[in-house]
Amino acid sequence: QKEVEQDPGPLSVPEGAIVSLNCTYSNSAFQYFMWYRQYSRKGPELLMYTYSSGNKEDGRFTAQVDKSSKYISLFIRDSQPSDSATYLCAMSLYNFNKFYFGSGTKLNVKP
Amino acid sequence: DVKVTQSSRYLVKRTGEKVFLECVQDMDHENMFWYRQDPGLGLRLIYFSYDVKMKEKGDIPEGYSVSREKKERFSLILESASTNQTSMYLCASKAGAGEQETQYFGPGTRLLVL
């Protein structure tokens, strides 16, 4: 079983839709949770970073962590064509130089 | 803003050549990483370094070596490039313990070995 599972998509939505991207994980010790956005042929760009459970909002993006269910989500409100990219979830332990990445979900927002 | 730069965006090399990929970060981060990213396989850790001259193997170190002579610079070396090392190579950096536990990535180097 992989440490982190993420639906690869592709996910196709119309402009303005609310997008929900999700990852599940198996290691209950994970404490730090990240979402990265990666445009085609570019490096991953950090979008959201959360510690432990709860919600974090940044503009149109909301990250949720449910440690009891071992489930994290990224919501994108009012999605734009410029949001079309692959979204990677990642998680880690404290002061531990190994990060566990999902395989990425490819999102296409149609104008 | 954290900035991680990589020496080349695209490289074409021949089988058997020695290849150097360089990465520089400007945030005085303790930790630096090299990954490769392949379709269907995701991100795989090759090596990381937690201090100058210190390194540890990741999940797929075979065929690679690394060098960290200065804190801001981390090099990945392919001693004798092979076609199965054609990939996207990503460098990342991370602050030390007690600071933000997240990585920042460079733009990537797309390497083609012929």
Side-chain angles (χ1 to χ4, degrees):
Chain A
Q1 184 190 1
K2 282 186 182 178
E3 298 265 9
V4 181
E5 299 277 1
Q6 184 176 9
D7 187 335
L11 180 62
S12 190
V13 301
E15 183 175 353
I18 296 175
V19 176
S20 171
L21 304 168
N22 311 295
C23 289
T24 58
Y25 60 94
S26 55
N27 188 345
S28 57
F30 287 142
Q31 295 175 288
Y32 299 89
F33 304 91
M34 289 136 272
W35 285 96
Y36 290 87
R37 177 175 62 197
Q38 186 175 22
Y39 292 114
S40 183
R41 298 179 179 271
K42 299 282 176 69
E45 167 197 8
L46 180 67
L47 262 184
M48 301 288 282
Y49 166 74
T50 51
Y51 167 68
S52 197
S53 279
N55 291 2
K56 185 174 183 178
E57 191 173 318
D58 184 1
R60 296 185 295 111
F61 298 91
T62 300
Q64 277 188 357
V65 175
D66 182 348
K67 290 192 77 180
S68 61
S69 302
K70 291 188 240 172
Y71 188 88
I72 69 170
S73 300
L74 178 71
F75 297 97
I76 307 174
R77 288 184 298 282
D78 187 26
S79 56
Q80 303 295 308
S82 58
D83 295 327
S84 297
T86 296
Y87 290 80
L88 297 161
C89 65
M91 41 204 81
S92 70
L93 308 167
Y94 173 71
N95 194 27
F96 191 63
N97 277 324
K98 185 167 172 63
F99 287 72
Y100 297 83
F101 289 88
S103 53
T105 299
K106 189 166 184 177
L107 172 67
N108 180 33
V109 181
K110 298 173 291 185
Chain B
D1 276 357
V2 175
K3 189 132 190 212
V4 180
T5 56
Q6 293 183 229
S7 51
S8 305
R9 294 299 310 276
Y10 300 96
L11 270 181
V12 181
K13 297 291 180 182
R14 299 231 170 253
T15 302
E17 278 193 78
K18 191 167 186 175
V19 182
F20 293 87
L21 303 182
E22 298 238 307
C23 174
V24 177
Q25 51 96 1
D26 68 355
M27 283 301 292
D28 201 36
H29 281 174
E30 313 277 330
N31 306 286
M32 297 186 74
F33 307 78
W34 276 106
Y35 292 88
R36 62 178 285 177
Q37 186 177 34
D38 301 287
L41 296 175
L43 279 159
R44 292 182 291 168
L45 181 64
I46 304 171
Y47 268 97
F48 70 92
S49 168
Y50 53 90
D51 202 349
V52 175
K53 297 192 189 292
M54 306 305 288
K55 61 186 179 187
E56 284 206 24
K57 293 179 181 178
D59 299 319
I60 51 161
E62 297 78 20
Y64 303 94
S65 61
V66 289
S67 171
R68 193 164 179 205
E69 297 296 319
K70 292 185 177 181
K71 191 174 185 181
E72 68 272 17
R73 191 179 296 268
F74 191 35
S75 302
L76 179 69
I77 303 147
L78 286 65
E79 295 289 342
S80 177
S82 63
T83 54
N84 63 13
Q85 291 179 310
T86 290
S87 187
M88 170 75 137
Y89 289 88
L90 291 161
C91 175
S93 75
K94 171 182 163 291
E99 300 185 54
Q100 191 169 2
E101 292 283 338
T102 189
Q103 293 182 321
Y104 295 88
F105 285 88
T109 296
R110 193 164 286 275
L111 173 66
L112 172 63
V113 182
L114 299 173

